[in-house]
Amino acid sequence: MKLVRRLRGPVAALLSGALAALLLTLSSAGDARAGQTALRAADPSVLRVGGTYVSVQSTGGGIAVRQASSTDGLAAAPARQIWSDTRNLGEVWAPEVVRDGGRYHVYFSAGRGNAHRMYVISSANPDSGYTGETQLALPDGKWAIDGTLFTFNGQRWFVWSGWAGDTNVEQNLYIARMSSPTTPTGARYVISQPRESWERVVGNPFINEGPEAIKDPNGQLHVVYSANGSWSDQYCLADLRLRAGGDPAYVWDWYKSNGCLFGSNRATMMAGWDPTLHVNGPGHHSFVLLDGDIGTSPPAGPRFPLMFHAVPKGTLYSWANRYWYTGSFCWWGNTTYRRANVPGPTTDTGWSLKFFE
């Protein structure tokens, strides 16, 4: 790595990424449980506050927080219930923890059938003192899950997975401005629909979900999401990259990766990306960022912490067999995403991501 440190600019970044990929492949070879934690659960959401890692999960008819000094330590940390479904809202899915204005905000979906909507609770402390749930007044008021908040170029945004109408035809990714951590403002805008062949392998409905924002070394916005049905080992991660100077609310300013970037089936992987060795159906990830703030997104370099859920290879693929995994990712430069039959340029070249078990 001394050679890479002496270099500067894109060449150094690319060499760092390549060496990281090689080292991580060698270090994980032969380890059938690479990154697997003892937490049999789905949809990890993790951030770092100083030297403490904070996670939230849906459990016990509510939401629980764990705190530890490392991502590996979260599974053994005590789970402290911060919210219970006392109003019998229904299924509680995929809580997301965010810090904004010195407070913790946990967003989650609750409901039954087509009644799922997004809610938020808030506290000055990570594991106590949360407010009662407030339903987010998302534009159009349709079925919504997997929502999370981020700030980009001084504007708060909320991104989520939802339906265009009132029937379960497909799950799209939507974005809306927020005037505060609890108040959407203006319209919702679609930024991705599951229309590519590699994200329509398993459907009924076809799915884009689990969006997570991050900012690349050039300052461009990415939303990495899960595609294909979560009940299948075709579940995988893909990327949306906002063009330089683009408008997050304008769908044609977004460029989609040409395949899965983190998945277990070679046929759906983007060219140059390899399938997983030890897990099936990796998805619904969490970039483990300082304060959960994309303003602290890592620069180009060797690797950075990631959590995701997956099923160990050799195990029946089912929701009940999902575990939380610790992994890592690095930025991968000079990557071109291509598209056709849409407004605007057909290619966009910039940073992408590589993921490791």
Side-chain angles (χ1 to χ4, degrees), residues 6-65:
R6 288 173 185 159
L7 295 172
R8 296 291 185 269
V11 173
L14 286 171
L15 284 174
S16 284
L19 284 172
L22 175 61
L23 291 171
L24 282 164
T25 299
L26 291 173
S27 67
S28 63
D31 180 5
R33 294 175 60 85
Q36 184 178 333
T37 75
L39 265 178
R40 190 183 289 238
D43 310 327
S45 177
V46 185
L47 53 75
R48 178 170 67 86
V49 182
T52 301
Y53 293 83
V54 180
S55 72
V56 293
Q57 71 180 108
S58 173
T59 183
I63 297 170
V65 164

Side-chain angles (χ1 to χ4, degrees), residues 42-112:
D43 310 327
S45 177
V46 185
L47 53 75
R48 178 170 67 86
V49 182
T52 301
Y53 293 83
V54 180
S55 72
V56 293
Q57 71 180 108
S58 173
T59 183
I63 297 170
V65 164
R66 297 172 186 266
Q67 298 184 80
S69 60
S70 67
T71 54
D72 288 324
L74 286 169
R80 183 165 181 176
Q81 198 90 352
I82 60 167
W83 176 84
S84 296
D85 185 14
T86 57
R87 292 202 292 134
N88 195 27
L89 296 175
E91 300 154 333
V92 178
W93 290 348
E96 288 279 330
V97 61
V98 172
R99 283 195 87 199
D100 185 291
R103 292 180 64 83
Y104 295 84
H105 304 275
V106 177
Y107 301 90
F108 62 95
S109 178
R112 296 179 179 85

Side-chain angles (χ1 to χ4, degrees), residues 66-285:
R66 297 172 186 266
Q67 298 184 80
S69 60
S70 67
T71 54
D72 288 324
L74 286 169
R80 183 165 181 176
Q81 198 90 352
I82 60 167
W83 176 84
S84 296
D85 185 14
T86 57
R87 292 202 292 134
N88 195 27
L89 296 175
E91 300 154 333
V92 178
W93 290 348
E96 288 279 330
V97 61
V98 172
R99 283 195 87 199
D100 185 291
R103 292 180 64 83
Y104 295 84
H105 304 275
V106 177
Y107 301 90
F108 62 95
S109 178
R112 296 179 179 85
N114 64 2
H116 271 271
R117 299 295 186 272
M118 290 302 308
Y119 295 83
V120 61
I121 56 177
S122 304
S123 177
N125 303 302
D127 62 353
S128 64
Y130 279 84
T131 61
E133 73 278 0
T134 299
Q135 183 177 331
L136 286 181
L138 291 176
D140 297 334
K142 304 300 182 183
W143 188 92
I145 66 169
D146 296 353
T148 191
L149 179 84
F150 65 92
T151 298
F152 179 67
N153 288 345
Q155 171 66 57
R156 290 185 182 94
W157 297 89
F158 195 77
V159 62
W160 72 98
S161 176
W163 299 348
D166 296 317
T167 56
N168 193 5
V169 177
E170 62 182 2
Q171 285 177 223
N172 306 318
L173 298 184
Y174 294 94
I175 197 167
R177 292 176 176 84
M178 300 282 283
S179 61
S180 77
T182 58
T183 309
T185 182
R188 68 170 178 167
Y189 302 91
V190 66
I191 61 171
S192 181
Q193 295 173 284
R195 301 293 175 81
E196 303 300 319
S197 60
W198 51 268
E199 56 185 353
R200 294 172 67 89
V201 180
V202 173
N204 192 24
F206 298 111
I207 286 174
N208 285 176
E209 65 183 15
E212 296 290 338
I214 193 167
K215 193 164 64 172
D216 73 25
N218 286 343
Q220 288 173 242
L221 179 64
H222 294 244
V223 171
V224 176
Y225 67 96
S226 300
N228 289 302
S230 64
W231 56 92
S232 160
D233 66 4
Q234 295 286 346
Y235 207 48
C236 70
L237 294 184
D239 181 38
L240 295 172
R241 181 175 64 218
L242 187 70
R243 71 170 181 83
D247 178 0
Y250 182 55
V251 64
W252 303 124
D253 279 350
W254 292 95
Y255 286 77
K256 184 178 290 191
S257 58
N258 299 116
C260 302
L261 302 183
F262 194 34
S264 53
N265 294 276
R266 184 170 293 279
T268 57
M269 300 299 293
M270 182 161 159
W273 272 251
D274 293 318
T276 51
L277 296 174
H278 309 299
V279 303
N280 282 329
H284 208 132
H285 68 300

